[in-house]
Amino acid sequence: EYEVVWGKHVAETEDEVISLAVSFLAVQMLRFCISGHLPDASGVDKPWQEWHSNFQCALLLLAGVIAGGADVARLLHERSHNVNFTRVASSDSKVSTSPVSSARAGGWFQKISAMTFAFSLLFAAEWWISSNFDLDGSLKAVVSALLVTFAAFIFIFGIDKVADMHFEDAELDQALRLIISALGMLVGFSWERCFDAALGDLSTRGQGDGYEGANAA
């Protein structure tokens, strides 16, 4: 019994790590294809790479929407052709924890597409703010986090209404709920980047003040 519970939790953790890593790398690839500049390992552009046209921002957001809606579109297409089957979530005890499990692979696709949409929304907002407003690092991060939070809540409200309309379809409802979960994680990521930027600014200013005080003495 304990081994079964352990296997379920390990499988859930593996699925989350895979979806986060693959979706983040996919969005960095999209950013490179759209802008021609590859960000650093944390997804931050160099200062001379921060400007992007509104078309590039919209293109990145559109690519994320397409990726996020891919699994939902697949399910709707299958329903329109009367193709019905049930995909069990990785947390279900009936699902095999084997790496080659088709159920787990399907769950990966759902989570990767949802997180790709979330990361695309985050970086598209950062591109747009950096290109249209003259803000320093910490203030820009705050404005970006506020914008992303507002946009995420709007998407969550709309997707939740759609999920309520299709509550009888367990698989479609699960796909929509995964997008909502990804948007919730997006809000957390945006504020985490905001706090990192604020901490970096504080440490830089503190070092500068200490250096000037030492020279004055």
Side-chain angles (χ1 to χ4, degrees), residues 32-50:
F32 176 72
C33 293
I34 293 172
S35 66
H37 301 294
L38 187 66
D40 63 16
S42 60
V44 179
D45 287 320
K46 299 295 188 299
W48 60 87
Q49 299 174 351
E50 290 185 346

Side-chain angles (χ1 to χ4, degrees), residues 74-183:
R74 177 189 64 81
L75 292 174
L76 292 175
H77 174 74
E78 291 174 350
R79 298 304 180 268
S80 65
H81 290 75
N82 295 322
V83 178
N84 296 298
F85 64 93
T86 301
R87 176 186 298 155
V88 186
S90 60
S91 59
D92 195 306
S93 59
K94 296 180 180 180
V95 174
S96 170
T97 58
S98 170
V100 297
S101 170
S102 60
R104 289 191 67 191
W108 292 342
F109 177 75
Q110 284 186 324
K111 294 178 180 179
I112 289 171
S113 63
M115 287 306 305
T116 299
F117 166 59
F119 280 127
S120 297
L121 176 59
L122 172 63
F123 291 116
E126 290 186 353
W127 275 8
W128 185 77
I129 291 172
S130 299
S131 303
N132 291 277
F133 299 95
D134 186 16
L135 303 173
D136 61 12
S138 58
L139 183 57
K140 180 177 68 176
V142 171
V143 174
S144 175
L146 288 172
L147 177 61
V148 168
T149 301
F150 179 74
F153 284 163
I154 292 178
F155 276 114
I156 289 173
F157 181 79
I159 295 172
D160 182 65
K161 291 296 183 182
V162 176
D164 290 340
M165 295 168 56
H166 297 277
F167 68 93
E168 73 284 351
D169 191 331
E171 191 175 16
L172 181 57
D173 183 77
Q174 177 188 351
L176 293 172
R177 300 296 177 188
L178 279 175
I179 298 177
I180 292 176
S181 299
L183 290 171

Side-chain angles (χ1 to χ4, degrees), residues 9-21:
H9 286 292
V10 169
E12 290 177 3
T13 304
E14 290 175 346
D15 294 347
E16 295 295 337
V17 171
I18 289 172
S19 62
L20 285 173

